[in-house]
Amino acid sequence: MRFDPELAEIRFGCGLSPRHAPPKGPDEMLTALRAPDRAAQDWPIPGFDGALADARAYSAARRARKAAIGSPLFDVRDKDLKRQRARMRDHQAVWFTQRLLRCITTSNGFRERLTLFWADHFTAQGKIAALRYGATPYVESAIRPNIAARFEDLLIAAVTSPLMLHYLDQHRSTGPNSRRAGRVARRQGRVVGLNENLAREVLELHTLGVGGPYGQQDVRQLAELFTGMIYNIEDGFKFAPGWAEPGAEVVLGQRYDAEITGLAAIKQALRDLARHPATADHLARKLAVHFTRDTPDPALVAHLADRYRATSGDLMQVYAALLEHPAAWETDLGNVKPPFAYLASACRALAMPPAALTKLSRPQMNRFFLRPMQRMGQRWEFSNGPDGWSEADGDWITPQGLAERLRWCMSVPVQLMETLPAPLEALQDALGNRATAQLRFVASAAETEREAVGLILAAPAFQRR
Amino acid sequence: MTNIPPTPSASPPASLSRRSFLARSGLIGCSLAASPLLTPVSFAAAPWDTRLAVIILRGGMDAIDVVQPYGDPAYAGLRQTLLGGPQNGAADLDGFFALHPALAPLMPLWRAEQLGFVQAVSTPYRNKRSHFDGQDLLEAGTPGLHQRRDGWLNRLLQVTPGVEARTAFAIGQGEMKLLQGAAPVSDWSPDAEIALSPQAERLAGLMMEGDPLFHAALAEALDLADSAKADAAAGRAGTPGQGPRRAPPHQRIASYAAQQLRGESRIAAFSINGWDTHNRQKGALTRALRRLSETILTLQGDLGPTIWDKTAVVAMTEFGRTVRENGTGGTDHGTGGAMVLAGGAIRGGRVHGHWPGLTEAALFDRRDLMPTGDVRAQMGWIMRGMIGTDHQAISDVIFPGVEMGSDPGLVRR
């Protein structure tokens, strides 16, 4: 392999920047993952406790409003609830800005990319108003601290996160023969039972993969094993033995007994799934697709899977395997940047000063970033389903998506920055050695600086990585 | 509403195919010779002739307030501020049901038997009451959640021969999961702007020339934006100072859908939001129904009588609402809902479906309208009547496992 610093920053980082030198080699990229998380310190985001605090305040406001129905206090309580809702939307806008600023200012872009990758692999989102904006705090707590750990640690952190339990309905799942099921039947005459959603997605999406070696029986057994994992907005995650299905469960031939060992049995099952050879194949392929192209070199996939198996899913070793393989350094740019990464890399290439973003109001953040991203096909914190965002280039470069990208690069940077960089300088900053004669012609033939800079950011060479 | 004469040949040419664009693109060189970026060519004829517009009403429409069962003895006891019926300004439909006053502009369609409803229908979604899951299931068209990652309208295209990208259009900014999947579809919002000066447009074309994915998307974007502009110029000439730019988004979307359906497209899907009426439903539902009514009338006007005659507009929602009014003049998430049907292809002038009644014992979970029909089965019969879709394909592929039952007779054949 021949290490190319610019390509490293484009393909594995957040894009070129006139303010930050690209990495000098794979060792630097990997060592940085072990170093303190500077970007997170500079642009802090609360962990999931912050989302729970919002959820508690929201629920309290809603209860108070409900209690005031028919009384003269109703309008006051109604206003309180609306104010809390607005506060939560403000939080979302601030957290989004911090995520963006991390990508714009980091000297360790690989960490941001891995965080986005694993956050997408473990997609979770709020389905009720109280948890609507929980996805970013979830990533902060469950994903970001574990991206350089073993995959099993990441898996356990994600699967036991309150937001994941909520998103995939685990907090409702009750062992059909559990103490709770009996109690609800006696007192309320209702039948409560199993929900297989989380168990299915853990097998299908998070570990073995959709074609993996498991059957419906394994899904069912894993769902029974998972019973007892719940959360509430007061305490967050809880293991409630009264919800757990009695007896042992057998998943992929292994026996687990959560009734006796509680959460430990569930964690053991997750560790075993994480170390399964099929999980190695599934994750190797996903990483290769994400970082190289939609149809990756089979040799690269095999190399990653081998390293994963040999190290029991030590992610640092897997990343090292990725960065050492020649297929990771093919000079043709394959993948299209998804909208968030695209906008972040555009701001980074323009060296947009952080103050240009931190001073924006929530409506402005919506106007300049969140709504355009939605029109480009990526609604922030709300992907289509638990399988996360598409990796297929064609899903992003649709007529409507491309039109919005063009509209954004022609109109937003000029509104955010007092002065735009000179076109040829911007071209050099954004594309480095990839600034071709044709692009230099485009940059100088445009009628205005605004259009010249917009066109540079619209170049396929800039939209791909 | 100005009626536009049904002259598809006079409508702006649905120009270009990707192939012709790529072939032409060699003309654009560094010289920036003023060569047209696009050359119009016509499309192959679509495989069938009827038109289908599917509207997703997001938020859970209250079936009982839209098609008010004022003849049901239990009705008056369940609704206070939301009590409807002819005595409260609703239009009588058939002596049992009355229509919400905000849909009054559609009464001529009802009398022409071009407006109908299906009452007490739902998806298989039960008890959880999440919009998010409810809409996912409505658009997936499966019996349970997370069984397919594509949408039923896309699967219809997958089993129908002769489909091209323009055959079906997803319109607007929200994502239309019911059209996502392996079959090619088009996707555009009349709000999307390409906003390039002629020079920037040429330079962008030049820059993307070497990248087929970007080049094709740009060509199509420019073409779609152009035809939207042309439509604006042609369709709204009679309303000075009130061009479509000024029209509210739902009307622009309806106009755009009509424009596509007048041309090569056979299916258009879009959504109308605002049906989640927990508080003060009276105002909120009136506003939402006004949008629906204007949407239907815009479609009718812009399609023109000939095409309207072979069109079915089907509006559906993820679930209904509680039959009892809550304490804030609204209703909460429920189960059984209603479908709204319009168009010349519809057998209207009647409320279809089996009315389950509103006595407490007749309710679902003692709180919701009991679903007596599956929206998927209703939709399946509409496809069968309109496109001739194979029975097996409907129950195996499009709506896996659906019980089709007997033909409810929703469309004229």
Side-chain angles (χ1 to χ4, degrees), chain A residues 65 69 74 125 127 197 201 204 375 384 387 397 399-400 402 438-439 441 445-447 451 455 458-460 463-464, chain B residues 30 132-133 146 149 172-173 175 177 187-189 196-197 199 203 206-208 211 214 217-218 221 279 327-328:
Chain A
R65 179 179 169 285
I69 286 173
F74 180 80
Q125 42 200 251
K127 295 199 285 189
N197 201 3
E201 300 302 18
E204 180 180 322
R375 289 197 287 263
N384 297 345
D387 51 343
I397 303 306
Q400 186 171 349
L402 182 61
Q438 189 200 49
L439 288 172
F441 167 76
E447 284 165 342
E451 284 185 344
L455 284 165
Q463 301 204 44
R464 291 186 181 272
Chain B
C30 287
F132 189 95
D133 287 347
H146 315 299
R149 297 194 198 280
Q173 289 172 4
E175 67 190 353
K177 290 184 194 171
D187 204 310
W188 188 250
S189 159
L196 293 176
S197 70
Q199 171 88 331
L203 289 168
L206 168 68
M207 223 168 49
M208 294 181 182
D211 191 315
F214 280 83
L218 177 67
N279 323 294
T328 57

Short mmCIF file of all heavy atoms in Angstrom, two decimals, chain A residues 65 69 74 125 127 197 201 204 375 384 387 397 399-400 402 438-439 441 445-447 451 455 458-460 463-464, chain B residues 30 132-133 146 149 172-173 175 177 187-189 196-197 199 203 206-208 211 214 217-218 221 279 327-328:
data_model
loop_
_atom_site.label_atom_id
_atom_site.label_comp_id
_atom_site.label_asym_id
_atom_site.label_seq_id
_atom_site.Cartn_x
_atom_site.Cartn_y
_atom_site.Cartn_z
N ARG A 65 -50.46 19.30 32.71
CA ARG A 65 -51.44 19.84 31.76
C ARG A 65 -52.70 18.99 31.75
O ARG A 65 -53.81 19.50 31.73
CB ARG A 65 -50.81 19.87 30.38
CG ARG A 65 -51.69 20.39 29.27
CD ARG A 65 -50.86 20.35 27.98
NE ARG A 65 -51.66 20.58 26.82
CZ ARG A 65 -52.48 19.70 26.28
NH1 ARG A 65 -52.61 18.50 26.85
NH2 ARG A 65 -53.17 19.98 25.20
N ILE A 69 -56.96 19.92 32.93
CA ILE A 69 -58.04 19.96 31.94
C ILE A 69 -59.34 20.41 32.62
O ILE A 69 -59.69 19.91 33.67
CB ILE A 69 -58.23 18.57 31.28
CG1 ILE A 69 -57.09 18.31 30.30
CG2 ILE A 69 -59.58 18.49 30.55
CD1 ILE A 69 -57.07 16.92 29.72
N PHE A 74 -55.49 25.60 32.88
CA PHE A 74 -55.11 24.81 31.69
C PHE A 74 -54.20 25.57 30.72
O PHE A 74 -53.19 25.05 30.25
CB PHE A 74 -56.36 24.32 30.95
CG PHE A 74 -56.03 23.51 29.74
CD1 PHE A 74 -55.68 22.17 29.86
CD2 PHE A 74 -56.00 24.08 28.46
CE1 PHE A 74 -55.34 21.41 28.75
CE2 PHE A 74 -55.66 23.33 27.35
CZ PHE A 74 -55.33 21.99 27.51
N GLN A 125 -33.74 5.60 17.72
CA GLN A 125 -34.34 6.93 17.71
C GLN A 125 -35.58 6.96 18.59
O GLN A 125 -36.15 5.93 18.93
CB GLN A 125 -34.64 7.38 16.28
CG GLN A 125 -35.23 6.29 15.41
CD GLN A 125 -35.08 6.58 13.90
OE1 GLN A 125 -36.05 6.87 13.25
NE2 GLN A 125 -33.90 6.49 13.35
N LYS A 127 -39.35 7.42 19.59
CA LYS A 127 -40.63 7.27 18.89
C LYS A 127 -41.74 8.03 19.60
O LYS A 127 -42.86 8.06 19.14
CB LYS A 127 -41.01 5.79 18.81
CG LYS A 127 -40.05 4.97 17.96
CD LYS A 127 -40.67 3.66 17.50
CE LYS A 127 -40.73 2.64 18.61
NZ LYS A 127 -41.14 1.31 18.11
N ASN A 197 -38.89 -7.81 18.42
CA ASN A 197 -38.25 -6.82 17.55
C ASN A 197 -36.74 -6.69 17.81
O ASN A 197 -35.92 -6.83 16.90
CB ASN A 197 -38.95 -5.47 17.74
CG ASN A 197 -38.73 -4.53 16.59
OD1 ASN A 197 -38.09 -4.88 15.60
ND2 ASN A 197 -39.24 -3.32 16.70
N GLU A 201 -33.57 -7.85 15.34
CA GLU A 201 -32.61 -6.90 14.76
C GLU A 201 -31.19 -7.14 15.28
O GLU A 201 -30.22 -6.90 14.55
CB GLU A 201 -33.04 -5.45 15.03
CG GLU A 201 -34.41 -5.07 14.46
CD GLU A 201 -34.57 -5.23 12.95
OE1 GLU A 201 -33.78 -5.94 12.30
OE2 GLU A 201 -35.54 -4.64 12.41
N GLU A 204 -30.20 -9.96 12.97
CA GLU A 204 -30.24 -9.66 11.55
C GLU A 204 -29.36 -8.47 11.17
O GLU A 204 -28.68 -8.47 10.16
CB GLU A 204 -31.69 -9.38 11.15
CG GLU A 204 -31.87 -9.04 9.69
CD GLU A 204 -33.33 -8.77 9.35
OE1 GLU A 204 -34.20 -9.48 9.90
OE2 GLU A 204 -33.60 -7.86 8.54
N ARG A 375 -34.13 17.58 2.76
CA ARG A 375 -34.42 17.58 1.32
C ARG A 375 -33.40 16.77 0.54
O ARG A 375 -33.68 16.29 -0.54
CB ARG A 375 -34.50 19.02 0.80
CG ARG A 375 -35.75 19.76 1.29
CD ARG A 375 -36.02 21.00 0.47
NE ARG A 375 -35.08 22.06 0.79
CZ ARG A 375 -35.33 23.06 1.64
NH1 ARG A 375 -36.49 23.13 2.25
NH2 ARG A 375 -34.43 23.99 1.87
N ASN A 384 -34.71 5.79 7.89
CA ASN A 384 -35.91 5.06 7.47
C ASN A 384 -36.27 3.90 8.37
O ASN A 384 -37.41 3.49 8.44
CB ASN A 384 -35.69 4.48 6.07
CG ASN A 384 -35.49 5.57 5.06
OD1 ASN A 384 -35.78 6.73 5.34
ND2 ASN A 384 -34.99 5.22 3.90
N ASP A 387 -32.25 -0.34 10.07
CA ASP A 387 -31.07 -0.66 9.25
C ASP A 387 -30.29 0.61 8.88
O ASP A 387 -29.30 0.53 8.18
CB ASP A 387 -31.45 -1.46 7.99
CG ASP A 387 -32.57 -0.79 7.21
OD1 ASP A 387 -33.27 0.08 7.78
OD2 ASP A 387 -32.76 -1.12 6.04
N ILE A 397 -27.68 10.54 -4.73
CA ILE A 397 -27.60 11.42 -5.90
C ILE A 397 -28.83 11.19 -6.78
O ILE A 397 -28.75 10.68 -7.89
CB ILE A 397 -26.26 11.24 -6.64
CG1 ILE A 397 -25.10 11.51 -5.66
CG2 ILE A 397 -26.11 12.21 -7.81
CD1 ILE A 397 -25.18 12.86 -4.93
N PRO A 399 -32.27 13.12 -8.54
CA PRO A 399 -32.46 14.47 -9.08
C PRO A 399 -32.77 15.48 -7.97
O PRO A 399 -32.17 16.56 -7.91
CB PRO A 399 -33.65 14.31 -10.02
CG PRO A 399 -33.63 12.88 -10.42
CD PRO A 399 -33.09 12.13 -9.25
N GLN A 400 -33.69 15.11 -7.08
CA GLN A 400 -34.07 16.03 -6.02
C GLN A 400 -32.93 16.26 -5.03
O GLN A 400 -32.68 17.38 -4.59
CB GLN A 400 -35.29 15.44 -5.29
CG GLN A 400 -35.87 16.36 -4.27
CD GLN A 400 -37.20 15.81 -3.74
OE1 GLN A 400 -37.75 14.87 -4.28
NE2 GLN A 400 -37.72 16.42 -2.70
N LEU A 402 -29.67 15.92 -5.58
CA LEU A 402 -28.58 16.69 -6.20
C LEU A 402 -28.98 18.15 -6.35
O LEU A 402 -28.17 19.05 -6.11
CB LEU A 402 -28.21 16.08 -7.56
CG LEU A 402 -27.05 16.79 -8.27
CD1 LEU A 402 -25.77 16.72 -7.45
CD2 LEU A 402 -26.82 16.18 -9.66
N GLN A 438 -9.61 20.96 -15.41
CA GLN A 438 -11.01 21.24 -15.72
C GLN A 438 -11.66 22.01 -14.57
O GLN A 438 -12.40 22.96 -14.79
CB GLN A 438 -11.76 19.93 -15.99
CG GLN A 438 -13.16 20.19 -16.53
CD GLN A 438 -14.07 19.01 -16.35
OE1 GLN A 438 -14.17 18.42 -15.28
NE2 GLN A 438 -14.74 18.65 -17.44
N LEU A 439 -11.36 21.57 -13.35
CA LEU A 439 -11.97 22.26 -12.20
C LEU A 439 -11.41 23.67 -12.05
O LEU A 439 -12.12 24.59 -11.65
CB LEU A 439 -11.75 21.44 -10.92
CG LEU A 439 -12.59 20.16 -10.85
CD1 LEU A 439 -12.18 19.31 -9.65
CD2 LEU A 439 -14.08 20.48 -10.79
N PHE A 441 -10.57 25.49 -14.52
CA PHE A 441 -11.32 26.24 -15.55
C PHE A 441 -12.69 26.63 -15.01
O PHE A 441 -13.11 27.79 -15.12
CB PHE A 441 -11.46 25.39 -16.82
CG PHE A 441 -12.46 25.96 -17.78
CD1 PHE A 441 -12.14 27.08 -18.56
CD2 PHE A 441 -13.73 25.41 -17.89
CE1 PHE A 441 -13.08 27.63 -19.42
CE2 PHE A 441 -14.67 25.96 -18.75
CZ PHE A 441 -14.34 27.06 -19.51
N ALA A 445 -14.17 30.28 -14.65
CA ALA A 445 -15.15 30.67 -15.67
C ALA A 445 -16.49 31.07 -15.07
O ALA A 445 -17.33 31.65 -15.75
CB ALA A 445 -15.36 29.54 -16.67
N ALA A 446 -16.72 30.77 -13.80
CA ALA A 446 -18.00 31.13 -13.19
C ALA A 446 -18.14 32.64 -13.15
O ALA A 446 -17.15 33.37 -13.09
CB ALA A 446 -18.09 30.56 -11.78
N GLU A 447 -19.39 33.10 -13.20
CA GLU A 447 -19.63 34.54 -13.30
C GLU A 447 -19.41 35.29 -11.99
O GLU A 447 -19.08 36.46 -11.98
CB GLU A 447 -21.05 34.80 -13.81
CG GLU A 447 -21.17 34.54 -15.30
CD GLU A 447 -22.61 34.42 -15.77
OE1 GLU A 447 -23.50 34.21 -14.91
OE2 GLU A 447 -22.84 34.55 -16.98
N GLU A 451 -20.80 31.64 -7.11
CA GLU A 451 -21.05 30.48 -7.96
C GLU A 451 -19.79 29.63 -8.11
O GLU A 451 -19.88 28.41 -8.16
CB GLU A 451 -21.54 30.92 -9.34
CG GLU A 451 -23.00 31.36 -9.31
CD GLU A 451 -23.55 31.69 -10.69
OE1 GLU A 451 -22.75 31.88 -11.64
OE2 GLU A 451 -24.77 31.76 -10.81
N LEU A 455 -19.75 25.82 -7.15
CA LEU A 455 -19.45 24.77 -8.13
C LEU A 455 -18.33 23.85 -7.64
O LEU A 455 -18.36 22.65 -7.88
CB LEU A 455 -19.09 25.40 -9.48
CG LEU A 455 -20.29 25.94 -10.26
CD1 LEU A 455 -19.83 26.87 -11.39
CD2 LEU A 455 -21.14 24.80 -10.83
N ALA A 458 -19.74 21.48 -5.47
CA ALA A 458 -20.66 20.58 -6.18
C ALA A 458 -19.92 19.58 -7.05
O ALA A 458 -20.53 18.65 -7.58
CB ALA A 458 -21.62 21.39 -7.04
N ALA A 459 -18.62 19.75 -7.21
CA ALA A 459 -17.87 18.84 -8.08
C ALA A 459 -18.00 17.40 -7.58
O ALA A 459 -17.88 17.15 -6.38
CB ALA A 459 -16.39 19.25 -8.10
N PRO A 460 -18.25 16.46 -8.49
CA PRO A 460 -18.29 15.06 -8.04
C PRO A 460 -17.03 14.68 -7.25
O PRO A 460 -17.12 13.93 -6.29
CB PRO A 460 -18.39 14.28 -9.36
CG PRO A 460 -19.08 15.22 -10.29
CD PRO A 460 -18.61 16.60 -9.91
N GLN A 463 -17.83 15.62 -3.86
CA GLN A 463 -18.97 14.93 -3.25
C GLN A 463 -18.69 13.45 -2.99
O GLN A 463 -19.46 12.78 -2.32
CB GLN A 463 -20.22 15.06 -4.14
CG GLN A 463 -20.60 16.52 -4.37
CD GLN A 463 -22.06 16.67 -4.72
OE1 GLN A 463 -22.92 16.06 -4.10
NE2 GLN A 463 -22.36 17.49 -5.72
N ARG A 464 -17.60 12.97 -3.56
CA ARG A 464 -17.24 11.55 -3.32
C ARG A 464 -16.07 11.47 -2.35
O ARG A 464 -15.38 12.45 -2.12
CB ARG A 464 -16.87 10.89 -4.65
CG ARG A 464 -18.05 10.71 -5.60
CD ARG A 464 -17.60 9.92 -6.81
NE ARG A 464 -18.67 9.73 -7.78
CZ ARG A 464 -19.54 8.70 -7.75
NH1 ARG A 464 -19.46 7.80 -6.77
NH2 ARG A 464 -20.47 8.59 -8.67
N CYS B 30 -15.32 22.71 -23.27
CA CYS B 30 -14.76 23.83 -22.52
C CYS B 30 -15.07 25.16 -23.20
O CYS B 30 -14.98 26.22 -22.60
CB CYS B 30 -13.26 23.67 -22.38
SG CYS B 30 -12.86 22.38 -21.19
N PHE B 132 -45.21 6.62 14.12
CA PHE B 132 -44.00 6.13 13.50
C PHE B 132 -44.17 4.69 13.00
O PHE B 132 -44.03 4.40 11.82
CB PHE B 132 -42.98 6.23 14.63
CG PHE B 132 -41.58 6.00 14.31
CD1 PHE B 132 -40.76 7.07 14.05
CD2 PHE B 132 -41.07 4.72 14.33
CE1 PHE B 132 -39.43 6.84 13.79
CE2 PHE B 132 -39.75 4.51 14.07
CZ PHE B 132 -38.92 5.57 13.80
N ASP B 133 -44.55 3.78 13.90
CA ASP B 133 -44.76 2.39 13.51
C ASP B 133 -46.00 2.25 12.64
O ASP B 133 -46.01 1.47 11.69
CB ASP B 133 -44.92 1.51 14.76
CG ASP B 133 -43.59 1.31 15.48
OD1 ASP B 133 -42.55 1.64 14.89
OD2 ASP B 133 -43.61 0.84 16.63
N HIS B 146 -41.54 -4.48 10.37
CA HIS B 146 -40.17 -4.89 10.03
C HIS B 146 -40.11 -6.18 9.22
O HIS B 146 -39.17 -6.94 9.34
CB HIS B 146 -39.32 -5.07 11.29
CG HIS B 146 -39.48 -3.96 12.27
ND1 HIS B 146 -39.16 -2.66 11.97
CD2 HIS B 146 -39.95 -3.95 13.54
CE1 HIS B 146 -39.42 -1.90 13.03
NE2 HIS B 146 -39.91 -2.65 13.98
N ARG B 149 -38.60 -4.20 3.79
CA ARG B 149 -38.03 -2.86 3.85
C ARG B 149 -38.40 -2.04 2.61
O ARG B 149 -37.90 -0.95 2.43
CB ARG B 149 -36.50 -2.94 4.03
CG ARG B 149 -36.14 -3.60 5.34
CD ARG B 149 -34.69 -3.41 5.71
NE ARG B 149 -34.28 -4.38 6.72
CZ ARG B 149 -34.53 -4.27 8.02
NH1 ARG B 149 -35.19 -3.25 8.47
NH2 ARG B 149 -34.12 -5.20 8.86
N GLY B 172 -42.95 15.65 -3.28
CA GLY B 172 -42.86 16.38 -2.02
C GLY B 172 -41.58 16.05 -1.28
O GLY B 172 -40.75 15.28 -1.75
N GLN B 173 -41.43 16.70 -0.12
CA GLN B 173 -40.16 16.56 0.58
C GLN B 173 -40.12 15.40 1.55
O GLN B 173 -39.07 14.89 1.86
CB GLN B 173 -39.86 17.86 1.32
CG GLN B 173 -39.49 18.96 0.36
CD GLN B 173 -39.38 20.28 1.05
OE1 GLN B 173 -39.52 20.35 2.26
NE2 GLN B 173 -39.13 21.31 0.28
N GLU B 175 -40.42 11.63 2.94
CA GLU B 175 -40.12 10.41 2.21
C GLU B 175 -41.38 9.58 2.08
O GLU B 175 -42.23 9.57 2.96
CB GLU B 175 -39.00 9.63 2.88
CG GLU B 175 -39.37 9.08 4.21
CD GLU B 175 -38.17 8.53 4.95
OE1 GLU B 175 -37.08 8.45 4.38
OE2 GLU B 175 -38.36 8.17 6.11
N LYS B 177 -42.25 6.04 1.81
CA LYS B 177 -41.73 4.68 1.91
C LYS B 177 -42.55 3.71 1.06
O LYS B 177 -42.04 2.69 0.65
CB LYS B 177 -41.75 4.20 3.36
CG LYS B 177 -40.72 4.91 4.23
CD LYS B 177 -40.71 4.32 5.63
CE LYS B 177 -39.95 5.25 6.56
NZ LYS B 177 -40.08 4.84 7.96
N ASP B 187 -38.82 10.96 -8.30
CA ASP B 187 -38.89 11.57 -6.99
C ASP B 187 -38.64 13.06 -7.20
O ASP B 187 -37.60 13.43 -7.70
CB ASP B 187 -37.71 10.97 -6.22
CG ASP B 187 -37.90 11.00 -4.74
OD1 ASP B 187 -38.23 12.07 -4.23
OD2 ASP B 187 -37.68 9.94 -4.13
N TRP B 188 -39.60 13.91 -6.87
CA TRP B 188 -39.34 15.33 -7.06
C TRP B 188 -40.26 16.13 -6.17
O TRP B 188 -41.32 15.67 -5.76
CB TRP B 188 -39.54 15.73 -8.53
CG TRP B 188 -39.09 17.13 -8.84
CD1 TRP B 188 -39.89 18.19 -9.15
CD2 TRP B 188 -37.75 17.61 -8.87
NE1 TRP B 188 -39.11 19.30 -9.37
CE2 TRP B 188 -37.80 18.98 -9.20
CE3 TRP B 188 -36.51 17.02 -8.61
CZ2 TRP B 188 -36.67 19.78 -9.30
CZ3 TRP B 188 -35.37 17.81 -8.71
CH2 TRP B 188 -35.46 19.16 -9.07
N SER B 189 -39.84 17.31 -5.84
CA SER B 189 -40.70 18.21 -5.10
C SER B 189 -40.79 19.50 -5.88
O SER B 189 -39.77 20.03 -6.31
CB SER B 189 -40.09 18.48 -3.73
OG SER B 189 -40.64 19.67 -3.22
N LEU B 196 -29.80 27.66 -10.71
CA LEU B 196 -28.48 27.89 -11.30
C LEU B 196 -28.62 28.93 -12.41
O LEU B 196 -29.57 28.87 -13.19
CB LEU B 196 -27.92 26.60 -11.91
CG LEU B 196 -27.57 25.48 -10.96
CD1 LEU B 196 -27.11 24.26 -11.74
CD2 LEU B 196 -26.48 25.91 -9.99
N SER B 197 -27.65 29.81 -12.49
CA SER B 197 -27.63 30.71 -13.64
C SER B 197 -27.27 29.87 -14.87
O SER B 197 -26.72 28.79 -14.73
CB SER B 197 -26.57 31.79 -13.42
OG SER B 197 -25.28 31.19 -13.51
N GLN B 199 -24.98 30.10 -16.93
CA GLN B 199 -23.54 29.82 -16.97
C GLN B 199 -23.18 28.72 -15.96
O GLN B 199 -22.47 27.77 -16.29
CB GLN B 199 -22.77 31.12 -16.65
CG GLN B 199 -21.29 30.94 -16.43
CD GLN B 199 -20.52 31.01 -17.73
OE1 GLN B 199 -21.03 30.68 -18.79
NE2 GLN B 199 -19.27 31.44 -17.65
N LEU B 203 -21.56 25.03 -16.54
CA LEU B 203 -20.33 24.60 -15.87
C LEU B 203 -20.58 23.34 -15.03
O LEU B 203 -19.74 22.44 -14.98
CB LEU B 203 -19.79 25.73 -14.99
CG LEU B 203 -19.21 26.92 -15.77
CD1 LEU B 203 -18.97 28.11 -14.84
CD2 LEU B 203 -17.91 26.53 -16.48
N LEU B 206 -20.64 20.46 -17.35
CA LEU B 206 -19.28 20.12 -17.76
C LEU B 206 -18.57 19.31 -16.67
O LEU B 206 -17.94 18.28 -16.94
CB LEU B 206 -18.53 21.42 -18.04
CG LEU B 206 -17.02 21.34 -18.22
CD1 LEU B 206 -16.70 20.59 -19.51
CD2 LEU B 206 -16.42 22.75 -18.25
N MET B 207 -18.70 19.79 -15.45
CA MET B 207 -18.01 19.17 -14.33
C MET B 207 -18.50 17.75 -14.06
O MET B 207 -17.74 16.91 -13.59
CB MET B 207 -18.33 20.03 -13.09
CG MET B 207 -17.20 20.31 -12.20
SD MET B 207 -17.67 21.59 -11.01
CE MET B 207 -19.20 21.07 -10.35
N MET B 208 -19.76 17.51 -14.34
CA MET B 208 -20.34 16.21 -14.01
C MET B 208 -20.31 15.25 -15.19
O MET B 208 -20.70 14.09 -15.06
CB MET B 208 -21.76 16.39 -13.48
CG MET B 208 -21.74 17.14 -12.16
SD MET B 208 -23.35 17.39 -11.44
CE MET B 208 -22.90 18.32 -9.96
N ASP B 211 -18.91 11.77 -14.77
CA ASP B 211 -19.43 10.94 -13.68
C ASP B 211 -20.89 10.59 -13.98
O ASP B 211 -21.79 11.40 -13.75
CB ASP B 211 -19.32 11.72 -12.35
CG ASP B 211 -19.59 10.83 -11.15
OD1 ASP B 211 -20.56 10.04 -11.19
OD2 ASP B 211 -18.83 10.91 -10.17
N PHE B 214 -23.78 11.36 -11.39
CA PHE B 214 -24.09 12.78 -11.19
C PHE B 214 -24.68 13.39 -12.46
O PHE B 214 -25.59 14.21 -12.41
CB PHE B 214 -22.82 13.56 -10.80
CG PHE B 214 -22.47 13.41 -9.34
CD1 PHE B 214 -21.76 12.31 -8.90
CD2 PHE B 214 -22.86 14.36 -8.42
CE1 PHE B 214 -21.44 12.15 -7.57
CE2 PHE B 214 -22.56 14.21 -7.07
CZ PHE B 214 -21.83 13.10 -6.64
N ALA B 217 -28.34 12.41 -12.89
CA ALA B 217 -29.21 13.06 -11.90
C ALA B 217 -29.37 14.54 -12.22
O ALA B 217 -30.46 15.10 -12.09
CB ALA B 217 -28.63 12.88 -10.49
N LEU B 218 -28.29 15.18 -12.65
CA LEU B 218 -28.37 16.60 -13.01
C LEU B 218 -29.31 16.80 -14.19
O LEU B 218 -30.16 17.70 -14.18
CB LEU B 218 -26.98 17.15 -13.33
CG LEU B 218 -26.96 18.62 -13.79
CD1 LEU B 218 -27.36 19.54 -12.65
CD2 LEU B 218 -25.60 19.02 -14.33
N ALA B 221 -32.79 16.41 -13.04
CA ALA B 221 -33.19 17.52 -12.17
C ALA B 221 -33.50 18.76 -13.00
O ALA B 221 -34.52 19.42 -12.79
CB ALA B 221 -32.08 17.82 -11.16
N ASN B 279 -55.81 18.05 20.57
CA ASN B 279 -56.46 19.20 21.21
C ASN B 279 -57.21 20.01 20.17
O ASN B 279 -56.74 20.16 19.05
CB ASN B 279 -55.44 20.16 21.83
CG ASN B 279 -54.29 19.43 22.41
OD1 ASN B 279 -54.46 18.70 23.37
ND2 ASN B 279 -53.12 19.59 21.81
N GLY B 327 -60.48 15.28 27.00
CA GLY B 327 -60.82 16.46 27.80
C GLY B 327 -60.41 17.79 27.19
O GLY B 327 -60.69 18.84 27.75
N THR B 328 -59.73 17.75 26.04
CA THR B 328 -59.26 19.02 25.47
C THR B 328 -59.84 19.25 24.08
O THR B 328 -59.18 19.83 23.22
CB THR B 328 -57.72 19.06 25.41
OG1 THR B 328 -57.27 17.94 24.64
CG2 THR B 328 -57.11 18.98 26.78
#
